[in-house]
Amino acid sequence: EPEVTQTPSHQVTQMGQEVILRCVPISNHLYFYWYRQILGQKVEFLVSFYNNEISEKSEIFDDQFSVERPDGSNFTLKIRSTKLEDSAMYFCASSEDRAQGQPQHFGDGTRLSIL
Amino acid sequence: SQKIEQNSEALNIQEGKTATLTCNYTNYSPAYLQWYRQDPGRGPVFLLLIRENEKEKRKERLKVTFDTTLKQSLFHITASQPADSATYLCALARNAGNMLTFGGGTRLMVKP
């Protein structure tokens, strides 16, 4: 079965540095998402992306964050000037299209640790 | 403010019994509700979707109900197995798009 793949599985970064988290969504999917899960807390929506632009974003997704689809297969989340509180599991997800209620297929996440 | 609550952080049941998990929400008018399974260290896996105009959905041993008056969804696993042990998440979406808001999850342990 097709999968969403995320790299790296674990990223350790010094506070203040920039990180790029990478995702390869399922190949025929058109709608992409990033979520995060701080340890022991709920999965939280960050942003959705469709047709090369942001579709929705949450309050968490401020100017520190950006997303990009640099080519036909990758979908990236960039976090500038990382803070300790950015430490979390970051999940990428994709769905076939933007029709309401489409199942979202999640990757296994990147664990981001900010030191 | 909007709240999504799932009953108890953990639910322990005996193999073969029916597990019933609850998702309650307030100050929210979801267009649909989804249930996901999450295993430790893994991403959520989609299980079932139910829309606001549907009362019940089934898939194999799984059943979901949705009561928009009570603002509640129930998720049932019949003939539970140890392999069903995982955290189960409910997630709601409003009419405007596919942004999911997740509950905190219920950790289910099925004992042999």
Side-chain angles (χ1 to χ4, degrees), chain B residues 10-59:
Chain B
L11 180 66
N12 296 309
I13 64 166
Q14 206 65 36
E15 182 176 7
K17 301 291 186 188
T18 296
T20 298
L21 286 65
T22 306
C23 178
N24 294 295
Y25 58 93
T26 55
N27 297 323
Y28 213 101
S29 297
Y32 60 89
L33 186 150
Q34 297 182 347
W35 283 88
Y36 287 79
R37 169 183 172 140
Q38 187 175 27
D39 290 284
R42 307 296 298 273
V45 174
F46 172 79
L47 296 175
L48 277 171
L49 171 145
I50 188 162
R51 297 187 186 279
E52 59 178 338
N53 59 348
E54 296 174 318
K55 293 272 191 253
E56 183 179 298
K57 267 283 185 66
R58 290 176 185 260
K59 179 183 173 184

Side-chain angles (χ1 to χ4, degrees), chain A residues 31 33 35 37 42-43 45 56 89 91 97-104 106-108, chain B residues 4 31-32 34 36 38 41-44 46 49 51 95-100 102 104:
Chain A
Y31 212 97
Y33 314 81
Y35 291 82
Q37 187 173 30
K42 298 180 180 184
V43 176
F45 171 82
E56 292 179 276
M89 187 73 101
F91 293 108
D97 56 43
R98 63 185 307 177
Q100 253 188 41
Q102 285 285 319
Q104 295 183 22
F106 285 77
D108 281 336
Chain B
I4 301 167
Y32 60 89
Q34 297 182 347
Y36 287 79
Q38 187 175 27
R42 307 296 298 273
F46 172 79
L49 171 145
R51 297 187 186 279
N95 276 321
N98 291 317
M99 177 186 116
L100 291 178
F102 282 86

